[in-house]
Amino acid sequence: QICLSLVKLLFYLAHSPLGSIALLDFQPRQFVMVDGNLKVTDMDDASTEELSCKEDNDCTLDFPTKSFPLQCSAVGKCEGINEKKNLFNAYRYFFTYLLPHSAPPALRPFLSDILNATGDLRYGINETLKAFEKVLHLYKSGLYLQKRPLLLKDYISLKGFRTVEGEDYKCWPSYSHLGCLLSVHGAEEAAAICNSQSQCQSFIITQQRTWTGRPLASFQSSLTDLIPDANAVVYIKRSASSGKRL
């Protein structure tokens, strides 16, 4: 969410009515999340000036670990230097820390492509935004889920009950520090996640939603403490429920 919001902001700065705007003091502390959108807190160090040049050799974009040769345009300006400066700063301050983590395994290659392409400045801001929106579409639609045997048949569904919220086994990247609360596309994906965790004996799809509209599933190791809830369904592993009274 943070990276996508940042890319949308940089897209606007690259195509602003004032021209391409560079953030000269590009640090994480310069940004804040407001209602799920990243905002710049200080525009004092923003600039619409693009470096003047006479030849391509005048247009090297230097960073502490990398340098990028750019082209000198016909009007004597280093072509796209503000956009590329913003994009590489987004890569080194945000993408490298946030993109490799917490995505479903099937989506990680797409995020790795974005990371590599922005790190080498092979993508401009237009291509980067398009790539992010493709990943978001795959994520929200569930199209990233690979065809595999249906696992939900290995679970008993107990309608009209939910589990008591409390401390249970931890997993990563959980939305709760008390237990294992993960975003899922639906019950089938939740069953696959539960199967992959040795501690998991049951799960429930909660009423909570993430910023993408996906539900959160709570995974638990205990079969006890079920309470009535007309709107809920608890899914229990058949292997866990055998020999036990529900």
Side-chain angles (χ1 to χ4, degrees):
Q1 182 182 14
I2 292 172
C3 291
L4 175 61
S5 188
L6 175 59
V7 168
K8 289 181 177 178
L9 173 61
L10 298 188
F11 179 86
Y12 173 78
L13 293 179
H15 302 284
S16 85
L18 300 176
S20 184
I21 298 174
L23 300 176
L24 303 181
D25 186 17
F26 198 115
Q27 300 283 342
R29 65 174 180 268
Q30 297 286 77
F31 300 90
V32 64
M33 290 292 285
V34 180
D35 296 328
N37 295 306
L38 207 65
K39 306 285 186 181
V40 183
T41 60
D42 184 3
M43 292 293 289
D44 289 346
D45 294 310
S47 173
T48 57
E49 291 295 320
E50 292 202 308
L51 189 65
S52 298
C53 58
K54 292 182 179 179
E55 56 184 24
D56 289 350
N57 288 338
D58 298 329
C59 293
T60 301
L61 183 55
D62 289 316
F63 292 96
T65 58
K66 278 189 176 182
S67 295
F68 300 96
L70 305 181
Q71 291 184 333
C72 183
S73 71
V75 295
K77 297 290 183 180
C78 294
E79 201 167 295
I81 193 168
N82 286 351
E83 173 187 329
K84 294 179 185 298
K85 187 180 296 184
N86 286 342
L87 191 54
F88 190 77
N89 278 327
Y91 159 80
R92 66 182 183 136
Y93 287 119
F94 288 88
F95 297 172
T96 53
Y97 298 104
L98 300 177
L99 284 189
H101 309 294
S102 78
L107 288 179
R108 288 174 193 167
F110 295 98
L111 296 179
S112 293
D113 287 345
I114 294 174
L115 194 64
N116 293 332
T118 53
D120 294 334
L121 285 184
R122 287 185 284 110
Y123 279 1
I125 191 62
N126 294 0
E127 295 86 354
T128 303
L129 179 57
K130 185 177 179 180
F132 266 102
E133 288 179 336
K134 176 183 177 181
V135 175
L136 179 63
H137 172 67
L138 293 172
Y139 184 62
K140 291 174 70 173
S141 65
L143 291 172
Y144 68 90
L145 294 169
Q146 299 171 344
K147 291 183 178 180
R148 52 190 167 192
L150 298 178
L151 301 174
L152 203 55
K153 62 180 177 8
D154 298 330
Y155 290 77
I156 295 172
S157 62
L158 198 58
K159 297 181 180 180
F161 290 91
R162 64 178 173 84
T163 51
V164 177
E165 291 185 13
E167 191 165 349
D168 206 311
Y169 77 92
K170 311 295 192 299
C171 67
W172 189 89
S174 177
Y175 281 79
S176 169
H177 66 281
L178 295 176
C180 186
L181 188 65
L182 300 174
S183 165
V184 296
H185 182 256
E188 189 61 51
E189 184 179 16
I193 292 173
C194 190
N195 274 21
S196 70
Q197 298 174 344
S198 59
Q199 307 100 311
C200 185
Q201 299 298 319
S202 65
F203 66 87
I204 181 171
I205 308 296
T206 74
Q207 300 298 309
Q208 295 173 270
R209 294 291 185 272
T210 69
W211 66 281
T212 61
R214 286 162 53 100
L216 293 178
S218 177
F219 300 88
Q220 298 191 325
S221 60
S222 172
L223 298 179
T224 59
D225 298 328
L226 297 180
I227 58 176
D229 186 333
N231 299 316
V233 181
V234 178
Y235 296 88
I236 303 169
K237 278 184 179 177
R238 291 183 183 275
S239 59
S241 63
S242 60
K244 298 180 183 289
R245 296 178 63 186
L246 295 180

